[in-house]
Amino acid sequence: MLDVNNLEVAYGDVGALWGVSIHVDPGTIVAIVGANGAGKTTLLKTISGLLKPKRGEIFLAGAPLAGKAPEEIAGMGIAHVPEGRGLFRQMTVLENLELGAFQPKVRKRFKQSLEKAYALFPRLKERAGQKAGSLSGGEQQMLAIARATMSDPSLLILDEPSLGLSPIVVQQMFALIGTLHSQGVTILLVEQNIHQALKVADYAFVLKTGELAMQGTGTELLADPEIQKAYMGVL
Ligand code: ATP
């Protein structure tokens, strides 16, 4: 599905990623975990075309993404839910969902996509006419994810979906990620909530100051003493 090979990304002269390679199989949840500033967001932004790599290659189902604009990459089937959600706060829930289906080939299926999104997120149907900015933090995150699903993406990229949410809403968020997974959506997930992320992930990559430090199945990494010590507060 997604192959990232030897990616190198810098902000000006300051390097942020060095020789990072990851692979995402269709239908799986892959998590990218690591401390603040490890380069997780940089990796996601480079995959969706918002940043240009200095070196390396990215392929989606074998098609190269290098040099393509974000809109083109979105059209190829990648939907990115950014950290901070990227909603249009003054627009309604429905208008935000419409924007998720702006690509012509997706717009044709708008009605079906909307019904599917409402089935998955019933709260959004109840609040269709409400301004996005007036939703609770959890509802806004649901809306951001629902908007991304409107394009029926082959790869859904989620950057810190649990950020700033209360523990109960975090549980709901991870349950939702599990539901999307069971519907066959492929998910690339960045999380600071390492425990939850590894629990839900089929496979995970650990980034440390811009380099790949470890990788393995979620279960393997959860049981790893180094991971427990470094990221989960286990002494
Ligand atoms: P966090 O969880 O805190 O968001 P992260 O793992 O997502 O962290 P990135 O945001 O990818 O990390 O940042 C990786 C490195 O790149 C950091 O050292 C950061 O300071 C730097 N960086 C990120 N964005 C920029 C930018 N726009 N200009 C310059 N440096 C940046």
Side-chain angles (χ1 to χ4, degrees), residues 11 15-16 34-43 83 159-160 190 192:
Y11 295 97
N36 277 321
K40 306 180 297 293
T41 297
T42 302
L43 174 58
E83 198 177 339
D159 195 353
E160 305 262 11
V190 153
Q192 296 246 358

Side-chain angles (χ1 to χ4, degrees), residues 37-54:
K40 306 180 297 293
T41 297
T42 302
L43 174 58
L44 298 190
K45 283 185 173 168
T46 311
I47 292 168
S48 52
L50 298 165
L51 292 171
K52 298 280 161 246
K54 259 173 80 174

